[in-house]
Amino acid sequence: LDIERCFDQINHRFLMSQISLPKQVKQALWRALKAGVKTEFPISKRGTPQGGPISPLLANIALHGLSDLGTGYRYADDCVFILKPNENSEKLRHKIDEFLAIRGLKVKEAKTKLVAATEGFDFLGWHFRVKGNGKFISTPSDKNYQRIKEKIKTTLKDSRFPLEARIKKVGSMVRGWRNYHKHCDMNDHNLWSVRHWSWKFIRQQGRFNRRQTDQQIDKAFPSVSWSVNKFVNVIGTKSPFDGDLAYWSQRNSNLYDSHTAKALKRQGHKCGECSLAFLPGDQVELHHIDGNHHNWKTKNLVALHRECHQGQGVHSSTKQQKDKS
């Protein structure tokens, strides 16, 4: 869902009615809203100041509550609603239109559409889709992917700057882009084609030999680790309060690093001190039995509740357990 000219059309009186500030501050804000930006437009009748640092905040105040009309997610004036099969999209759209009309806004029809979850949709540079097997997947959107490739090529071709400076700038761009998308599935969005193009472009400049060009490419395309945000759905109607300790301690172990996860599995997802199962929300700490935090051998590690780890006698009891074993 896209709002037509959101920042330009917000109703001033409605916006001021939503702000609770001292009278003097509200008067200053009102004058700022009415100040205008050019001599041919001396007075602004609606909207927030163009390019003003406070404009995003004012827009958020005006649009507060929009995502609550349904199962919605909003960032500034970009919003998406998730509908269940039995929900009526026309009723939701009617509520949205009424909500926006009070604020002097309306939906931009050209950029608003209803799509199936299997078709997917773009939101904030990501493409979200439910695959045929029912699994959810997110990837960088095609538009976002093409944009970063074009920016890389444009930056490298900009002869106003030294080649080394251009390569450094591309490196910052690529690192930022990959960090933004590091929780997406990046298998098909690894920038390989533009990396290959960049290698040939840098090599053609005649500044570097093949080995040096490889080194420059590594600077321009720094690697950033990524992992798909794999959330495993809770089975059926299970609840952390249903008493199924084995199930919940098993799920809980996925939140911890490899050493802790392995210790939890060895211990049957039970505390090595009190022998009680770990529940969702319990703080798990990894204890070094011999007190040497540089000794990461498997036999020297035990997973404990934070309370057990901080309690007195932990070191002695775990040492005794080790001696007995």
Side-chain angles (χ1 to χ4, degrees):
L1 182 145
D2 189 74
I3 301 172
E4 185 171 348
R5 299 177 61 192
C6 176
F7 290 89
D8 298 337
Q9 298 296 323
I10 294 175
N11 184 286
H12 288 169
R13 293 195 178 277
F14 174 83
L15 179 60
M16 296 302 296
S17 70
Q18 303 301 301
I19 298 174
S20 178
L21 289 171
K23 183 178 179 180
Q24 294 84 349
V25 179
K26 291 189 71 172
Q27 287 177 343
L29 180 57
W30 178 260
R31 287 195 292 267
L33 290 172
K34 295 296 184 182
V37 291
K38 294 182 180 179
T39 55
E40 60 266 32
F41 300 108
I43 299 177
S44 298
K45 294 183 178 181
R46 57 179 59 202
T48 57
Q50 287 282 349
I54 199 174
S55 292
L57 173 60
L58 296 176
N60 269 332
I61 293 173
L63 295 175
H64 180 68
L66 174 60
S67 58
D68 297 332
L69 298 177
T71 306
Y73 304 90
R74 181 179 67 84
Y75 184 86
D77 59 336
D78 291 325
C79 193
V80 60
F81 287 91
I82 310 297
L83 281 77
K84 296 180 180 179
N86 59 345
E87 289 185 298
N88 190 317
S89 61
E90 293 182 359
K91 287 184 178 180
L92 175 61
R93 175 59 190 274
H94 180 68
K95 290 194 293 184
I96 293 172
D97 288 338
E98 286 185 338
F99 179 94
L100 294 177
I102 298 173
R103 292 153 175 80
L105 303 171
K106 62 180 180 179
V107 171
K108 188 171 185 177
E109 300 293 346
K111 291 188 176 181
T112 300
K113 58 181 179 179
L114 182 67
V115 298
T118 51
E119 180 183 345
F121 59 91
D122 293 345
F123 186 57
L124 303 180
W126 287 21
H127 181 75
F128 300 91
R129 181 170 62 89
V130 176
K131 297 193 292 185
N133 59 5
K135 291 187 176 181
F136 171 83
I137 186 173
S138 61
T139 62
S141 67
D142 290 340
K143 185 177 180 180
N144 183 276
Y145 189 49
Q146 293 302 322
R147 186 184 298 122
I148 185 64
K149 291 195 293 184
E150 291 171 4
K151 286 179 66 176
I152 291 171
K153 292 182 179 181
T154 301
T155 301
L156 285 178
K157 291 178 180 178
D158 192 350
S159 58
R160 295 176 300 170
F161 303 97
L163 182 58
E164 289 84 350
R166 286 178 266 165
I167 292 172
K168 184 178 180 180
K169 185 175 181 180
V170 168
S172 298
M173 291 164 45
V174 171
R175 183 181 293 106
W177 185 83
R178 283 178 166 168
N179 273 317
Y180 182 80
H181 295 289
K182 66 181 180 181
H183 294 301
C184 285
D185 186 339
M186 300 288 283
N187 282 316
D188 297 327
H189 299 80
N190 52 24
L191 299 176
W192 183 88
S193 61
V194 72
R195 178 188 174 104
H196 181 64
W197 177 92
S198 300
W199 190 95
K200 292 194 296 183
F201 177 85
I202 294 173
R203 187 76 176 92
Q204 289 170 358
Q205 305 308 303
R207 294 282 306 280
F208 306 107
N209 58 33
R210 295 180 66 88
R211 183 180 63 81
Q212 292 171 331
T213 302
D214 289 340
Q215 294 173 345
Q216 294 301 317
I217 283 296
D218 289 339
K219 294 179 181 178
F221 292 86
S223 60
V224 174
S225 60
W226 62 272
S227 61
V228 179
N229 189 12
K230 298 178 180 179
F231 178 78
V232 180
N233 289 331
V234 174
I235 296 176
T237 58
K238 296 200 68 62
S239 163
F241 307 103
D242 62 9
D244 190 348
L245 303 182
Y247 174 79
W248 287 106
S249 61
Q250 176 69 41
R251 284 182 61 91
N252 217 31
S253 68
N254 295 330
L255 300 175
Y256 303 101
D257 61 31
S258 58
H259 287 294
T260 308
K262 290 177 181 178
L264 283 168
K265 290 178 181 178
R266 289 196 307 272
Q267 298 165 207
H269 306 283
K270 295 181 180 180
C271 175
E273 176 68 12
C274 67
S275 299
L276 295 177
F278 290 101
L279 294 175
D282 285 349
Q283 297 294 323
V284 179
E285 294 185 352
L286 197 62
H287 174 61
H288 293 73
I289 296 174
D290 64 0
N292 180 7
H293 287 192
H294 297 288
N295 183 0
W296 290 91
K297 293 182 179 179
T298 300
K299 293 182 178 180
N300 190 50
L301 303 176
V302 59
L304 305 176
H305 285 109
R306 172 175 289 181
E307 295 79 4
C308 295
H309 197 198
Q310 295 175 346
Q312 295 181 356
V314 167
H315 289 79
S316 60
S317 62
T318 49
K319 282 184 177 180
Q320 290 174 4
Q321 291 177 6
K322 183 181 179 182
D323 293 338
K324 290 180 180 179
S325 61

